[in-house]
Structures are given as C-alpha cells and as structure tokens.
Amino acid sequence: MNLNYDYVLYFARTKHERQYRADGITPYINHPILVAELVKKYKPYSKNIDSLVASALLHDTLEDTYTSYLELMDNFGEMVASIVIELTTADSLSHFMGKANYLKTRMAIMSTYALFVKLCDRMANIMDMGNLTVEKRNKLVNETIEILDYVAKNRELRPVHIEVMNDIYTILGVDKKIDMSV
C-alpha cells in the first residue's frame, strides 16, 4: 500500500484533536510526530519506512481515540494496523499487572517492527518528561530501566533495537550499554 505521509499525519492529527500531553498545554499530536521522527532517524533506509512512520504517527489511535482496527486496515493496510494493535495497551492487563510488568512482558514478545516503534515511543516519552513532576519523572526513569533490562535479557534484539536502547540509557544518564553481540 502506498502511504501518503501528509494523509497519515492529517488522520492522526484529526484523531488526537483537542488532546494534550500531561502538561495540559502541548498538543498531543506532537508526541506521535516525535516518535515518527525518531523512527526516521534510526531506520531511514528500511524498505518498510513508510509503514513504520505511519505506525509511529498512529501508535496511540486505538488506545486513545475512537479509531477501530478496521479503520486503520482500510486506510493504511494490514502491516500498519497490525503494528498499531501490538502497540496498544490492554488496560485491564496493564492495571492488573502494573504498567512496567505489562510493558516488559509485552515488549519481550512483540514483533521486531513493533518493538522498534515502541522503543522510539519510550525514547520520546523520556525526551518529553521535563513537564512531569519529580515523582512521575523518577517513576518513568526507573520503569524504563527495568523494562529495557528485562527486554535485553529476554528476547533476541536487532542492532537497531540495541542502538535505541543504548541511546535511551544515555539520555537517562545511566552508565549501561547493551553489547551489540547480544
């Protein structure tokens, strides 16, 4: 499927209209745009870059808007819809297990493309935590380290996953690196 970036952005912008980040000021669409920019930065030559960028722009639509899986399928194809559904948090499981436990077990089994987009999503959240309270920031940092450590130990990683994870550790100021030979 030929994906038109402007249309995908328009669709995501329309779906997230009147939604804001945690600060109550920043339009929510800024987050998926940042995730898409990170996807382009880390995987610019992927044969599926259009689908990955579309998935990044749409990654929260099933979770946070009135968008259906079929709507994503019809507009953007099976690959994009499938990645987005993998990135969608099952609220009942997340609540039951706790967000960090849910994410680390989910990320350990998701497809390599979904994991890549999820890591870019996590990086974007880390980059955007300046407006969070100290308590929320500390929680996000600690959960992120826990999640990355778990994923590194419990699944096969591609070099791009390791690169993004190591960059997240660097952003967090954590003196830790995943060996590329893992």
Side-chain angles (χ1 to χ4, degrees):
M1 176 174 264
N2 188 6
L3 295 167
N4 178 299
Y5 177 84
D6 291 331
Y7 176 67
V8 179
L9 180 58
Y10 169 80
F11 184 94
R13 189 181 303 279
T14 301
K15 291 295 184 171
H16 289 294
E17 194 172 35
R18 287 180 244 144
Q19 291 180 344
Y20 296 90
R21 294 294 280 164
D23 63 9
I25 299 166
T26 307
Y28 190 84
I29 192 63
N30 291 8
H31 170 68
I33 290 171
L34 177 56
V35 177
E37 292 301 317
L38 291 169
V39 164
K40 288 189 270 187
K41 172 187 173 185
Y42 285 98
K43 232 170 158 34
Y45 304 112
S46 171
K47 67 181 183 199
N48 291 310
I49 190 63
D50 291 343
S51 293
L52 292 171
V53 169
S55 299
L57 286 170
L58 301 166
H59 79 273
D60 281 333
T61 55
L62 292 177
E63 191 172 318
D64 295 338
T65 74
Y66 294 105
T67 304
S68 72
Y69 177 81
L70 290 176
E71 190 176 3
L72 291 179
M73 275 276 286
D74 289 345
N75 283 280
F76 309 107
E78 185 176 355
M79 182 177 189
V80 171
S82 295
I83 292 171
V84 173
I85 204 163
E86 279 191 86
L87 298 170
T88 301
T89 299
D91 285 335
S92 58
L93 280 176
S94 176
H95 180 72
F96 176 73
M97 296 173 71
K99 184 78 171 190
N101 283 329
Y102 172 80
L103 282 176
K104 67 186 187 184
T105 56
R106 185 84 177 118
M107 290 168 70
I109 61 169
M110 64 178 44
S111 70
T112 58
Y113 282 143
L115 177 61
F116 169 64
V117 176
K118 185 62 185 170
L119 289 169
C120 290
D121 175 36
R122 199 66 179 191
M123 180 183 279
N125 285 330
I126 294 297
M127 293 167 71
D128 191 33
M129 68 180 179
N131 293 323
L132 297 177
T133 65
V134 172
E135 182 182 319
K136 286 185 179 181
R137 202 172 333 165
N138 288 339
K139 183 179 179 186
L140 180 62
V141 167
N142 292 331
E143 284 180 350
T144 299
I145 293 167
E146 179 184 342
I147 291 164
L148 296 182
D149 289 350
Y150 183 88
V151 170
K153 290 178 186 160
N154 291 285
R155 76 165 288 152
E156 184 179 326
L157 297 170
R158 301 277 168 89
V160 72
H161 298 138
I162 294 169
E163 181 182 6
V164 175
M165 292 167 77
N166 283 340
D167 286 353
I168 293 172
Y169 284 133
T170 299
I171 292 167
L172 294 174
V174 176
D175 187 24
K176 195 179 268 196
K177 292 284 181 213
I178 300 166
D179 186 354
M180 286 293 227
S181 63
V182 171

